[in-house]
Amino acid sequence: FSTNLQAFWTTTYHWSAAGRKAYIFDTETNNLLHTLRGHRDFVLCCRFSKDGRRVMTGSTDRTAKIWESMTGRLLLTLRGHTSWVHACDFSPGGTLVVTASDDRTARLWNEKNGTSLLVLVHTSCVHGCAFSISNDGRRIITAGVDTKVCIWCADTGECQLTIEGEH
């Protein structure tokens, strides 16, 4: 969900995916606003930026895409994963994004130009990723199917803490 964080943002939006497309719709009116077309295979995840201006999708085509949420225009395609992209998130400051994949990695990207900045290596497929809630967004949390949760430094890529097992 995206909420009214800017003066121009007046309604609550939600996303949905079916096949190779993702949809942005207004949950107050149930109106479809945009159909996001561009992935070559199934869309698995979607996340709005903190300010609601952008939305990122991840797909079984091994890419993540960043879109302008108000127009549905494709801004950037992130290429580098060698398997499905299961999760994605925007940093609180809006300059970085993170993606998680079945290729056993999470990747940190420059949101403006798509440069891959860090590759965070897990021991199994990575199905979850998020930036820390703090305003600086300098920590990334990832979750693998091996039940390992890792907390990483977004500056160095160092794993600072690993929690193992089902909790």
Side-chain angles (χ1 to χ4, degrees), residues 85-155:
V85 177
H86 278 278
C88 54
D89 196 21
F90 287 89
S91 67
T95 59
L96 303 171
V97 295
V98 63
T99 55
S101 173
D102 273 357
D103 66 7
R104 299 178 179 210
T105 69
R107 288 179 179 260
L108 182 68
W109 310 84
N110 177 305
E111 183 192 337
K112 303 302 178 205
N113 62 23
T115 302
S116 179
L117 302 173
L118 292 172
V119 178
L120 311 173
V121 180
H122 263 261
T123 57
S124 69
C125 301
V126 187
H127 283 194
C129 63
F131 281 92
S132 61
I133 297 172
S134 65
N135 287 336
D136 67 5
R138 303 319 305 171
R139 301 287 178 271
I140 298 168
I141 298 109
T142 58
V145 297
D146 60 359
T147 71
K148 287 184 183 176
V149 173
C150 298
I151 299 176
W152 309 84
C153 175
D155 294 320

Side-chain angles (χ1 to χ4, degrees), residues 41-110:
D41 215 334
F42 293 100
V43 175
L44 297 178
C45 61
C46 187
R47 178 76 66 167
F48 280 94
S49 62
K50 308 307 184 221
D51 64 5
R53 294 175 188 252
R54 292 164 320 286
V55 64
M56 183 170 30
T57 54
S59 169
T60 58
D61 68 7
R62 304 183 313 269
T63 68
K65 294 183 181 286
I66 299 175
W67 314 79
E68 190 174 75
S69 61
M70 295 301 286
T71 65
R73 182 173 67 95
L74 178 62
L75 299 173
L76 197 59
T77 299
L78 305 175
R79 291 181 176 87
H81 284 294
T82 59
S83 191
W84 298 3
V85 177
H86 278 278
C88 54
D89 196 21
F90 287 89
S91 67
T95 59
L96 303 171
V97 295
V98 63
T99 55
S101 173
D102 273 357
D103 66 7
R104 299 178 179 210
T105 69
R107 288 179 179 260
L108 182 68
W109 310 84
N110 177 305

